[in-house]
Amino acid sequence: MPGTKRENINIGVKVKVVQKQDQRSGKLTEGVVSKILTNSPNHPHGIKVMLESGTVGRVKEILN
């Protein structure tokens, strides 16, 4: 499921995000959402979240 809609993302959900420095390479980081940082209902590049590890990135894929 793509991570462009805020309604699809909840705290505690496992996701794959792309970090700012990895946008060119497209490297994805997997983790669990601890905070949703985007306020708008959707975003074309993915909803920005903070993972439990402290990593901030835009959701590219929702895993569960």
Side-chain angles (χ1 to χ4, degrees):
M1 190 185 315
T4 56
K5 290 192 172 163
R6 196 173 192 272
E7 67 190 30
N8 296 337
I9 300 164
N10 298 307
I11 291 168
V13 171
K14 195 177 227 185
V15 295
K16 286 187 180 178
V17 300
V18 63
Q19 295 179 63
K20 184 80 173 170
Q21 68 268 25
D22 296 331
Q23 282 177 343
R24 285 181 163 205
S25 68
K27 178 178 170 264
L28 297 177
T29 306
E30 196 174 300
V32 178
V33 176
S34 70
K35 209 184 267 184
I36 300 171
L37 303 175
T38 299
N39 288 323
S40 64
N42 52 24
H43 192 285
H45 300 146
I47 300 298
K48 191 180 275 187
V49 298
M50 181 182 283
L51 302 179
E52 286 178 347
S53 62
T55 304
V56 174
R58 293 198 180 273
V59 177
K60 292 296 174 192
E61 203 177 320
I62 300 168
L63 301 175
N64 62 345

PDB file of all heavy atoms in Angstrom, residues 3 6 9-20 29-39 46-60:
ATOM      1  N   GLY A   3       2.222   5.080   0.651  1.00  0.00           N
ATOM      2  CA  GLY A   3       2.110   5.926   1.842  1.00  0.00           C
ATOM      3  C   GLY A   3       1.809   7.375   1.553  1.00  0.00           C
ATOM      4  O   GLY A   3       2.349   8.269   2.201  1.00  0.00           O
ATOM      5  N   ARG A   6      -2.584  10.080   4.573  1.00  0.00           N
ATOM      6  CA  ARG A   6      -2.368  10.091   6.021  1.00  0.00           C
ATOM      7  C   ARG A   6      -3.284   9.099   6.741  1.00  0.00           C
ATOM      8  O   ARG A   6      -2.887   8.496   7.727  1.00  0.00           O
ATOM      9  CB  ARG A   6      -2.606  11.514   6.545  1.00  0.00           C
ATOM     10  CG  ARG A   6      -2.071  11.770   7.925  1.00  0.00           C
ATOM     11  CD  ARG A   6      -2.201  13.255   8.265  1.00  0.00           C
ATOM     12  NE  ARG A   6      -1.444  13.563   9.454  1.00  0.00           N
ATOM     13  CZ  ARG A   6      -1.932  13.466  10.686  1.00  0.00           C
ATOM     14  NH1 ARG A   6      -3.160  13.053  10.876  1.00  0.00           N
ATOM     15  NH2 ARG A   6      -1.175  13.776  11.724  1.00  0.00           N
ATOM     16  N   ILE A   9      -1.917   5.592   7.553  1.00  0.00           N
ATOM     17  CA  ILE A   9      -0.744   5.455   8.419  1.00  0.00           C
ATOM     18  C   ILE A   9      -1.140   5.715   9.861  1.00  0.00           C
ATOM     19  O   ILE A   9      -1.757   6.733  10.169  1.00  0.00           O
ATOM     20  CB  ILE A   9       0.354   6.435   7.973  1.00  0.00           C
ATOM     21  CG1 ILE A   9       0.766   6.131   6.536  1.00  0.00           C
ATOM     22  CG2 ILE A   9       1.561   6.358   8.906  1.00  0.00           C
ATOM     23  CD1 ILE A   9       1.531   7.218   5.870  1.00  0.00           C
ATOM     24  N   ASN A  10      -0.803   4.767  10.735  1.00  0.00           N
ATOM     25  CA  ASN A  10      -1.075   4.908  12.160  1.00  0.00           C
ATOM     26  C   ASN A  10       0.206   4.669  12.932  1.00  0.00           C
ATOM     27  O   ASN A  10       1.115   3.995  12.454  1.00  0.00           O
ATOM     28  CB  ASN A  10      -2.137   3.895  12.613  1.00  0.00           C
ATOM     29  CG  ASN A  10      -3.457   4.111  11.920  1.00  0.00           C
ATOM     30  OD1 ASN A  10      -3.989   5.214  11.929  1.00  0.00           O
ATOM     31  ND2 ASN A  10      -3.986   3.069  11.300  1.00  0.00           N
ATOM     32  N   ILE A  11       0.265   5.199  14.147  1.00  0.00           N
ATOM     33  CA  ILE A  11       1.410   4.954  15.017  1.00  0.00           C
ATOM     34  C   ILE A  11       1.451   3.466  15.343  1.00  0.00           C
ATOM     35  O   ILE A  11       0.421   2.851  15.614  1.00  0.00           O
ATOM     36  CB  ILE A  11       1.314   5.835  16.280  1.00  0.00           C
ATOM     37  CG1 ILE A  11       1.532   7.287  15.864  1.00  0.00           C
ATOM     38  CG2 ILE A  11       2.312   5.408  17.345  1.00  0.00           C
ATOM     39  CD1 ILE A  11       1.189   8.308  16.900  1.00  0.00           C
ATOM     40  N   GLY A  12       2.643   2.875  15.256  1.00  0.00           N
ATOM     41  CA  GLY A  12       2.807   1.455  15.523  1.00  0.00           C
ATOM     42  C   GLY A  12       2.794   0.581  14.282  1.00  0.00           C
ATOM     43  O   GLY A  12       3.001  -0.620  14.364  1.00  0.00           O
ATOM     44  N   VAL A  13       2.559   1.181  13.106  1.00  0.00           N
ATOM     45  CA  VAL A  13       2.522   0.436  11.852  1.00  0.00           C
ATOM     46  C   VAL A  13       3.936   0.317  11.290  1.00  0.00           C
ATOM     47  O   VAL A  13       4.720   1.251  11.356  1.00  0.00           O
ATOM     48  CB  VAL A  13       1.593   1.150  10.834  1.00  0.00           C
ATOM     49  CG1 VAL A  13       1.694   0.551   9.453  1.00  0.00           C
ATOM     50  CG2 VAL A  13       0.164   1.109  11.317  1.00  0.00           C
ATOM     51  N   LYS A  14       4.251  -0.861  10.731  1.00  0.00           N
ATOM     52  CA  LYS A  14       5.569  -1.092  10.113  1.00  0.00           C
ATOM     53  C   LYS A  14       5.546  -0.530   8.691  1.00  0.00           C
ATOM     54  O   LYS A  14       4.626  -0.833   7.922  1.00  0.00           O
ATOM     55  CB  LYS A  14       5.878  -2.581  10.106  1.00  0.00           C
ATOM     56  CG  LYS A  14       7.316  -2.909   9.839  1.00  0.00           C
ATOM     57  CD  LYS A  14       7.544  -4.404   9.932  1.00  0.00           C
ATOM     58  CE  LYS A  14       8.764  -4.673  10.770  1.00  0.00           C
ATOM     59  NZ  LYS A  14       9.086  -6.105  10.783  1.00  0.00           N
ATOM     60  N   VAL A  15       6.541   0.289   8.355  1.00  0.00           N
ATOM     61  CA  VAL A  15       6.602   0.945   7.047  1.00  0.00           C
ATOM     62  C   VAL A  15       8.025   0.925   6.500  1.00  0.00           C
ATOM     63  O   VAL A  15       8.978   0.630   7.221  1.00  0.00           O
ATOM     64  CB  VAL A  15       6.130   2.426   7.137  1.00  0.00           C
ATOM     65  CG1 VAL A  15       4.662   2.521   7.510  1.00  0.00           C
ATOM     66  CG2 VAL A  15       6.987   3.224   8.097  1.00  0.00           C
ATOM     67  N   LYS A  16       8.137   1.275   5.216  1.00  0.00           N
ATOM     68  CA  LYS A  16       9.433   1.536   4.595  1.00  0.00           C
ATOM     69  C   LYS A  16       9.432   3.002   4.198  1.00  0.00           C
ATOM     70  O   LYS A  16       8.487   3.469   3.550  1.00  0.00           O
ATOM     71  CB  LYS A  16       9.643   0.660   3.361  1.00  0.00           C
ATOM     72  CG  LYS A  16       9.935  -0.778   3.689  1.00  0.00           C
ATOM     73  CD  LYS A  16      10.309  -1.571   2.459  1.00  0.00           C
ATOM     74  CE  LYS A  16      10.607  -3.011   2.815  1.00  0.00           C
ATOM     75  NZ  LYS A  16      10.929  -3.815   1.637  1.00  0.00           N
ATOM     76  N   VAL A  17      10.481   3.728   4.614  1.00  0.00           N
ATOM     77  CA  VAL A  17      10.583   5.157   4.318  1.00  0.00           C
ATOM     78  C   VAL A  17      11.852   5.434   3.530  1.00  0.00           C
ATOM     79  O   VAL A  17      12.812   4.664   3.571  1.00  0.00           O
ATOM     80  CB  VAL A  17      10.581   6.029   5.599  1.00  0.00           C
ATOM     81  CG1 VAL A  17       9.317   5.828   6.403  1.00  0.00           C
ATOM     82  CG2 VAL A  17      11.812   5.789   6.451  1.00  0.00           C
ATOM     83  N   VAL A  18      11.836   6.564   2.810  1.00  0.00           N
ATOM     84  CA  VAL A  18      13.044   7.047   2.148  1.00  0.00           C
ATOM     85  C   VAL A  18      13.474   8.302   2.899  1.00  0.00           C
ATOM     86  O   VAL A  18      12.668   9.215   3.110  1.00  0.00           O
ATOM     87  CB  VAL A  18      12.841   7.303   0.638  1.00  0.00           C
ATOM     88  CG1 VAL A  18      11.836   8.396   0.354  1.00  0.00           C
ATOM     89  CG2 VAL A  18      14.158   7.614  -0.041  1.00  0.00           C
ATOM     90  N   GLN A  19      14.724   8.332   3.342  1.00  0.00           N
ATOM     91  CA  GLN A  19      15.261   9.487   4.045  1.00  0.00           C
ATOM     92  C   GLN A  19      15.701  10.530   3.022  1.00  0.00           C
ATOM     93  O   GLN A  19      15.944  10.215   1.866  1.00  0.00           O
ATOM     94  CB  GLN A  19      16.455   9.076   4.901  1.00  0.00           C
ATOM     95  CG  GLN A  19      16.094   8.139   6.032  1.00  0.00           C
ATOM     96  CD  GLN A  19      17.315   7.745   6.835  1.00  0.00           C
ATOM     97  OE1 GLN A  19      17.955   8.591   7.436  1.00  0.00           O
ATOM     98  NE2 GLN A  19      17.642   6.461   6.809  1.00  0.00           N
ATOM     99  N   LYS A  20      15.806  11.793   3.465  1.00  0.00           N
ATOM    100  CA  LYS A  20      16.170  12.902   2.584  1.00  0.00           C
ATOM    101  C   LYS A  20      17.459  12.594   1.811  1.00  0.00           C
ATOM    102  O   LYS A  20      17.520  12.773   0.603  1.00  0.00           O
ATOM    103  CB  LYS A  20      16.338  14.170   3.430  1.00  0.00           C
ATOM    104  CG  LYS A  20      16.629  15.424   2.641  1.00  0.00           C
ATOM    105  CD  LYS A  20      15.379  16.005   2.054  1.00  0.00           C
ATOM    106  CE  LYS A  20      15.680  17.349   1.404  1.00  0.00           C
ATOM    107  NZ  LYS A  20      14.552  17.812   0.624  1.00  0.00           N
ATOM    108  N   THR A  29      14.373   2.509   4.228  1.00  0.00           N
ATOM    109  CA  THR A  29      14.664   2.121   5.600  1.00  0.00           C
ATOM    110  C   THR A  29      13.374   1.606   6.215  1.00  0.00           C
ATOM    111  O   THR A  29      12.333   2.255   6.121  1.00  0.00           O
ATOM    112  CB  THR A  29      15.184   3.344   6.398  1.00  0.00           C
ATOM    113  OG1 THR A  29      16.289   3.903   5.695  1.00  0.00           O
ATOM    114  CG2 THR A  29      15.601   2.955   7.787  1.00  0.00           C
ATOM    115  N   GLU A  30      13.442   0.444   6.848  1.00  0.00           N
ATOM    116  CA  GLU A  30      12.257  -0.176   7.437  1.00  0.00           C
ATOM    117  C   GLU A  30      12.194   0.152   8.924  1.00  0.00           C
ATOM    118  O   GLU A  30      13.219   0.198   9.598  1.00  0.00           O
ATOM    119  CB  GLU A  30      12.345  -1.685   7.233  1.00  0.00           C
ATOM    120  CG  GLU A  30      11.050  -2.406   7.446  1.00  0.00           C
ATOM    121  CD  GLU A  30      11.153  -3.879   7.080  1.00  0.00           C
ATOM    122  OE1 GLU A  30      11.459  -4.188   5.914  1.00  0.00           O
ATOM    123  OE2 GLU A  30      10.933  -4.704   7.979  1.00  0.00           O
ATOM    124  N   GLY A  31      10.981   0.392   9.417  1.00  0.00           N
ATOM    125  CA  GLY A  31      10.813   0.662  10.839  1.00  0.00           C
ATOM    126  C   GLY A  31       9.357   0.809  11.225  1.00  0.00           C
ATOM    127  O   GLY A  31       8.464   0.642  10.400  1.00  0.00           O
ATOM    128  N   VAL A  32       9.147   1.142  12.497  1.00  0.00           N
ATOM    129  CA  VAL A  32       7.798   1.293  13.048  1.00  0.00           C
ATOM    130  C   VAL A  32       7.541   2.771  13.326  1.00  0.00           C
ATOM    131  O   VAL A  32       8.375   3.453  13.924  1.00  0.00           O
ATOM    132  CB  VAL A  32       7.651   0.455  14.346  1.00  0.00           C
ATOM    133  CG1 VAL A  32       6.277   0.646  14.965  1.00  0.00           C
ATOM    134  CG2 VAL A  32       7.900  -1.015  14.044  1.00  0.00           C
ATOM    135  N   VAL A  33       6.382   3.265  12.896  1.00  0.00           N
ATOM    136  CA  VAL A  33       6.033   4.684  13.033  1.00  0.00           C
ATOM    137  C   VAL A  33       5.842   5.044  14.503  1.00  0.00           C
ATOM    138  O   VAL A  33       5.089   4.384  15.227  1.00  0.00           O
ATOM    139  CB  VAL A  33       4.740   5.007  12.248  1.00  0.00           C
ATOM    140  CG1 VAL A  33       4.309   6.452  12.459  1.00  0.00           C
ATOM    141  CG2 VAL A  33       4.911   4.706  10.771  1.00  0.00           C
ATOM    142  N   SER A  34       6.537   6.116  14.943  1.00  0.00           N
ATOM    143  CA  SER A  34       6.331   6.610  16.301  1.00  0.00           C
ATOM    144  C   SER A  34       5.630   7.969  16.300  1.00  0.00           C
ATOM    145  O   SER A  34       4.998   8.342  17.278  1.00  0.00           O
ATOM    146  CB  SER A  34       7.661   6.716  17.054  1.00  0.00           C
ATOM    147  OG  SER A  34       8.455   7.751  16.532  1.00  0.00           O
ATOM    148  N   LYS A  35       5.752   8.706  15.175  1.00  0.00           N
ATOM    149  CA  LYS A  35       5.149  10.031  15.088  1.00  0.00           C
ATOM    150  C   LYS A  35       4.840  10.350  13.625  1.00  0.00           C
ATOM    151  O   LYS A  35       5.653  10.052  12.748  1.00  0.00           O
ATOM    152  CB  LYS A  35       6.154  11.060  15.614  1.00  0.00           C
ATOM    153  CG  LYS A  35       5.559  12.300  16.241  1.00  0.00           C
ATOM    154  CD  LYS A  35       6.655  13.278  16.636  1.00  0.00           C
ATOM    155  CE  LYS A  35       7.059  13.066  18.072  1.00  0.00           C
ATOM    156  NZ  LYS A  35       8.052  14.068  18.514  1.00  0.00           N
ATOM    157  N   ILE A  36       3.669  10.950  13.364  1.00  0.00           N
ATOM    158  CA  ILE A  36       3.310  11.385  12.010  1.00  0.00           C
ATOM    159  C   ILE A  36       3.583  12.884  11.943  1.00  0.00           C
ATOM    160  O   ILE A  36       3.030  13.654  12.728  1.00  0.00           O
ATOM    161  CB  ILE A  36       1.839  11.058  11.681  1.00  0.00           C
ATOM    162  CG1 ILE A  36       1.604   9.545  11.785  1.00  0.00           C
ATOM    163  CG2 ILE A  36       1.472  11.569  10.290  1.00  0.00           C
ATOM    164  CD1 ILE A  36       0.156   9.120  11.692  1.00  0.00           C
ATOM    165  N   LEU A  37       4.451  13.295  11.015  1.00  0.00           N
ATOM    166  CA  LEU A  37       4.888  14.691  10.955  1.00  0.00           C
ATOM    167  C   LEU A  37       4.137  15.528   9.921  1.00  0.00           C
ATOM    168  O   LEU A  37       4.113  16.746  10.029  1.00  0.00           O
ATOM    169  CB  LEU A  37       6.397  14.744  10.671  1.00  0.00           C
ATOM    170  CG  LEU A  37       7.268  13.979  11.679  1.00  0.00           C
ATOM    171  CD1 LEU A  37       8.714  13.991  11.235  1.00  0.00           C
ATOM    172  CD2 LEU A  37       7.141  14.559  13.075  1.00  0.00           C
ATOM    173  N   THR A  38       3.521  14.901   8.921  1.00  0.00           N
ATOM    174  CA  THR A  38       2.763  15.630   7.894  1.00  0.00           C
ATOM    175  C   THR A  38       1.341  15.874   8.402  1.00  0.00           C
ATOM    176  O   THR A  38       0.677  14.946   8.852  1.00  0.00           O
ATOM    177  CB  THR A  38       2.717  14.833   6.573  1.00  0.00           C
ATOM    178  OG1 THR A  38       4.047  14.640   6.108  1.00  0.00           O
ATOM    179  CG2 THR A  38       1.927  15.569   5.506  1.00  0.00           C
ATOM    180  N   ASN A  39       0.898  17.131   8.314  1.00  0.00           N
ATOM    181  CA  ASN A  39      -0.451  17.480   8.787  1.00  0.00           C
ATOM    182  C   ASN A  39      -1.515  17.336   7.703  1.00  0.00           C
ATOM    183  O   ASN A  39      -2.673  17.079   8.016  1.00  0.00           O
ATOM    184  CB  ASN A  39      -0.478  18.911   9.325  1.00  0.00           C
ATOM    185  CG  ASN A  39       0.254  19.027  10.647  1.00  0.00           C
ATOM    186  OD1 ASN A  39       0.185  18.127  11.471  1.00  0.00           O
ATOM    187  ND2 ASN A  39       0.975  20.109  10.833  1.00  0.00           N
ATOM    188  N   GLY A  46       4.754  11.133  -0.325  1.00  0.00           N
ATOM    189  CA  GLY A  46       4.656  10.274   0.851  1.00  0.00           C
ATOM    190  C   GLY A  46       4.524  11.094   2.122  1.00  0.00           C
ATOM    191  O   GLY A  46       5.056  12.195   2.217  1.00  0.00           O
ATOM    192  N   ILE A  47       3.819  10.558   3.096  1.00  0.00           N
ATOM    193  CA  ILE A  47       3.620  11.209   4.385  1.00  0.00           C
ATOM    194  C   ILE A  47       4.925  11.139   5.176  1.00  0.00           C
ATOM    195  O   ILE A  47       5.539  10.076   5.265  1.00  0.00           O
ATOM    196  CB  ILE A  47       2.472  10.525   5.163  1.00  0.00           C
ATOM    197  CG1 ILE A  47       1.153  10.605   4.376  1.00  0.00           C
ATOM    198  CG2 ILE A  47       2.307  11.128   6.561  1.00  0.00           C
ATOM    199  CD1 ILE A  47       0.626  11.995   4.112  1.00  0.00           C
ATOM    200  N   LYS A  48       5.350  12.263   5.750  1.00  0.00           N
ATOM    201  CA  LYS A  48       6.592  12.290   6.532  1.00  0.00           C
ATOM    202  C   LYS A  48       6.316  11.780   7.939  1.00  0.00           C
ATOM    203  O   LYS A  48       5.374  12.223   8.594  1.00  0.00           O
ATOM    204  CB  LYS A  48       7.161  13.706   6.586  1.00  0.00           C
ATOM    205  CG  LYS A  48       8.581  13.751   7.146  1.00  0.00           C
ATOM    206  CD  LYS A  48       9.130  15.153   7.202  1.00  0.00           C
ATOM    207  CE  LYS A  48       9.745  15.556   5.900  1.00  0.00           C
ATOM    208  NZ  LYS A  48      10.431  16.846   5.977  1.00  0.00           N
ATOM    209  N   VAL A  49       7.139  10.824   8.373  1.00  0.00           N
ATOM    210  CA  VAL A  49       6.976  10.222   9.698  1.00  0.00           C
ATOM    211  C   VAL A  49       8.321  10.122  10.402  1.00  0.00           C
ATOM    212  O   VAL A  49       9.371  10.197   9.771  1.00  0.00           O
ATOM    213  CB  VAL A  49       6.352   8.802   9.616  1.00  0.00           C
ATOM    214  CG1 VAL A  49       4.960   8.836   9.023  1.00  0.00           C
ATOM    215  CG2 VAL A  49       7.233   7.834   8.866  1.00  0.00           C
ATOM    216  N   MET A  50       8.257   9.927  11.726  1.00  0.00           N
ATOM    217  CA  MET A  50       9.443   9.597  12.504  1.00  0.00           C
ATOM    218  C   MET A  50       9.285   8.154  12.961  1.00  0.00           C
ATOM    219  O   MET A  50       8.228   7.778  13.465  1.00  0.00           O
ATOM    220  CB  MET A  50       9.597  10.516  13.712  1.00  0.00           C
ATOM    221  CG  MET A  50      10.846  10.209  14.533  1.00  0.00           C
ATOM    222  SD  MET A  50      11.004  11.253  15.992  1.00  0.00           S
ATOM    223  CE  MET A  50      11.568  12.764  15.244  1.00  0.00           C
ATOM    224  N   LEU A  51      10.331   7.360  12.757  1.00  0.00           N
ATOM    225  CA  LEU A  51      10.313   5.969  13.188  1.00  0.00           C
ATOM    226  C   LEU A  51      10.767   5.882  14.636  1.00  0.00           C
ATOM    227  O   LEU A  51      11.319   6.840  15.182  1.00  0.00           O
ATOM    228  CB  LEU A  51      11.233   5.135  12.291  1.00  0.00           C
ATOM    229  CG  LEU A  51      10.911   5.160  10.794  1.00  0.00           C
ATOM    230  CD1 LEU A  51      11.916   4.302  10.037  1.00  0.00           C
ATOM    231  CD2 LEU A  51       9.503   4.707  10.514  1.00  0.00           C
ATOM    232  N   GLU A  52      10.544   4.719  15.265  1.00  0.00           N
ATOM    233  CA  GLU A  52      10.948   4.510  16.660  1.00  0.00           C
ATOM    234  C   GLU A  52      12.454   4.688  16.844  1.00  0.00           C
ATOM    235  O   GLU A  52      12.916   5.031  17.919  1.00  0.00           O
ATOM    236  CB  GLU A  52      10.512   3.122  17.138  1.00  0.00           C
ATOM    237  CG  GLU A  52       9.019   3.031  17.379  1.00  0.00           C
ATOM    238  CD  GLU A  52       8.559   1.647  17.805  1.00  0.00           C
ATOM    239  OE1 GLU A  52       9.338   0.683  17.686  1.00  0.00           O
ATOM    240  OE2 GLU A  52       7.401   1.547  18.252  1.00  0.00           O
ATOM    241  N   SER A  53      13.222   4.470  15.771  1.00  0.00           N
ATOM    242  CA  SER A  53      14.678   4.618  15.824  1.00  0.00           C
ATOM    243  C   SER A  53      15.110   6.084  15.779  1.00  0.00           C
ATOM    244  O   SER A  53      16.286   6.387  15.935  1.00  0.00           O
ATOM    245  CB  SER A  53      15.310   3.870  14.649  1.00  0.00           C
ATOM    246  OG  SER A  53      14.861   4.439  13.424  1.00  0.00           O
ATOM    247  N   GLY A  54      14.148   7.006  15.512  1.00  0.00           N
ATOM    248  CA  GLY A  54      14.467   8.423  15.396  1.00  0.00           C
ATOM    249  C   GLY A  54      14.665   8.865  13.956  1.00  0.00           C
ATOM    250  O   GLY A  54      14.830  10.046  13.678  1.00  0.00           O
ATOM    251  N   THR A  55      14.641   7.927  13.031  1.00  0.00           N
ATOM    252  CA  THR A  55      14.790   8.218  11.605  1.00  0.00           C
ATOM    253  C   THR A  55      13.557   8.958  11.097  1.00  0.00           C
ATOM    254  O   THR A  55      12.436   8.582  11.397  1.00  0.00           O
ATOM    255  CB  THR A  55      14.950   6.902  10.811  1.00  0.00           C
ATOM    256  OG1 THR A  55      16.045   6.186  11.358  1.00  0.00           O
ATOM    257  CG2 THR A  55      15.175   7.155   9.341  1.00  0.00           C
ATOM    258  N   VAL A  56      13.793  10.011  10.298  1.00  0.00           N
ATOM    259  CA  VAL A  56      12.686  10.754   9.687  1.00  0.00           C
ATOM    260  C   VAL A  56      12.742  10.529   8.180  1.00  0.00           C
ATOM    261  O   VAL A  56      13.799  10.607   7.561  1.00  0.00           O
ATOM    262  CB  VAL A  56      12.797  12.274   9.991  1.00  0.00           C
ATOM    263  CG1 VAL A  56      11.748  13.065   9.233  1.00  0.00           C
ATOM    264  CG2 VAL A  56      12.655  12.507  11.488  1.00  0.00           C
ATOM    265  N   GLY A  57      11.582  10.219   7.607  1.00  0.00           N
ATOM    266  CA  GLY A  57      11.522  10.013   6.157  1.00  0.00           C
ATOM    267  C   GLY A  57      10.091   9.978   5.672  1.00  0.00           C
ATOM    268  O   GLY A  57       9.151  10.061   6.453  1.00  0.00           O
ATOM    269  N   ARG A  58       9.949   9.882   4.352  1.00  0.00           N
ATOM    270  CA  ARG A  58       8.623   9.824   3.742  1.00  0.00           C
ATOM    271  C   ARG A  58       8.246   8.376   3.455  1.00  0.00           C
ATOM    272  O   ARG A  58       9.050   7.625   2.914  1.00  0.00           O
ATOM    273  CB  ARG A  58       8.605  10.644   2.447  1.00  0.00           C
ATOM    274  CG  ARG A  58       8.783  12.121   2.715  1.00  0.00           C
ATOM    275  CD  ARG A  58       8.335  12.981   1.557  1.00  0.00           C
ATOM    276  NE  ARG A  58       8.525  14.381   1.860  1.00  0.00           N
ATOM    277  CZ  ARG A  58       7.635  15.150   2.498  1.00  0.00           C
ATOM    278  NH1 ARG A  58       6.491  14.633   2.892  1.00  0.00           N
ATOM    279  NH2 ARG A  58       7.883  16.414   2.740  1.00  0.00           N
ATOM    280  N   VAL A  59       7.021   8.023   3.813  1.00  0.00           N
ATOM    281  CA  VAL A  59       6.551   6.635   3.674  1.00  0.00           C
ATOM    282  C   VAL A  59       6.402   6.288   2.196  1.00  0.00           C
ATOM    283  O   VAL A  59       5.699   6.975   1.455  1.00  0.00           O
ATOM    284  CB  VAL A  59       5.205   6.419   4.396  1.00  0.00           C
ATOM    285  CG1 VAL A  59       4.692   5.000   4.187  1.00  0.00           C
ATOM    286  CG2 VAL A  59       5.343   6.715   5.884  1.00  0.00           C
ATOM    287  N   LYS A  60       7.064   5.215   1.788  1.00  0.00           N
ATOM    288  CA  LYS A  60       6.951   4.705   0.422  1.00  0.00           C
ATOM    289  C   LYS A  60       6.096   3.448   0.381  1.00  0.00           C
ATOM    290  O   LYS A  60       5.504   3.133  -0.639  1.00  0.00           O
ATOM    291  CB  LYS A  60       8.336   4.418  -0.174  1.00  0.00           C
ATOM    292  CG  LYS A  60       9.162   5.670  -0.412  1.00  0.00           C
ATOM    293  CD  LYS A  60       8.493   6.538  -1.451  1.00  0.00           C
ATOM    294  CE  LYS A  60       9.189   7.867  -1.616  1.00  0.00           C
ATOM    295  NZ  LYS A  60       8.403   8.809  -2.408  1.00  0.00           N
TER     296      LYS A  60
END
